[in-house]
Amino acid sequence: MGLHQSKDAKHFFRHLTKGNKYGKLNDRGEQYYICLMVGLLNKKISPEIESKQKEEIMVRGWSEGLRTHKYQILASVIATEVRRTSIPTDSDRYRKLMLKYLSGDEGLFNLTPQGVDLFDRYSEGGFRIIQEHISDPKELDMFLIELYNNFLEPDE
């Protein structure tokens, strides 16, 4: 069992995966991670994606580039879920939430099946937000500038 990406997201990023003189996204895991971060920043979770509309990606566990950041990623998802669902701040409820979504099995990204679903839904939510603001990206440099301008630039 791995993480999933919608076929719409795969199609949206197709030019960035092929690349050009300005670089490329190396794999679908990088696309997934970008979408996950945008989903988390915006506390945007999508409804479950129908199985015929999604594809499994990153089935071998954490990619080399993300492995060193896995604990920050896992903590970010849990912290966002706590804020999104307004869970009262007591350690027993946090512990139950973490046990619901996290496991010790690194082959499954340290996630339970519910955790995989939660990651997928945040990633798809982030993708939908990106798709609303950036249309058909063709060059990585322009996509990253648009991403920064739309989602990461601090408010003044």
Side-chain angles (χ1 to χ4, degrees), residues 17-33:
T17 304
K18 291 177 185 172
N20 61 29
K21 66 181 179 179
Y22 300 108
K24 69 176 187 168
L25 293 176
N26 292 324
D27 58 34
R28 291 176 68 187
E30 289 181 347
Q31 300 167 21
Y32 186 95
Y33 178 71

Side-chain angles (χ1 to χ4, degrees), residues 72-131:
Q72 292 91 338
I73 296 167
L74 293 167
S76 296
V77 172
I78 295 298
T80 301
E81 189 64 3
V82 165
R83 285 191 308 273
R84 187 185 71 81
T85 58
S86 301
I87 293 175
T89 55
D90 71 63
S91 60
D92 286 338
R93 290 184 191 184
Y94 284 169
R95 185 174 293 115
K96 285 179 185 175
L97 183 76
M98 288 176 20
L99 290 173
K100 178 179 178 180
Y101 295 123
L102 304 179
S103 79
D105 186 358
E106 188 161 323
L108 294 174
F109 309 95
N110 304 92
L111 300 170
T112 64
Q114 296 93 339
V116 169
D117 180 61
L118 185 67
F119 262 55
D120 288 348
R121 292 174 64 204
Y122 272 114
S123 181
E124 185 65 17
F127 163 65
R128 297 293 173 196
I129 292 171
I130 290 169
Q131 190 179 39

Side-chain angles (χ1 to χ4, degrees), residues 37-53:
M37 291 299 105
V38 171
L40 292 174
L41 284 170
N42 291 279
K43 293 186 251 179
K44 173 74 170 169
I45 193 166
S46 77
E48 190 172 345
I49 309 164
E50 292 181 38
S51 60
K52 65 182 179 184
Q53 297 299 321

Side-chain angles (χ1 to χ4, degrees), residues 132-144:
E132 287 174 17
H133 292 87
I134 301 172
S135 61
D136 196 27
K138 295 199 181 341
E139 297 176 343
L140 183 60
D141 61 333
M142 295 309 296
F143 171 73
L144 294 174

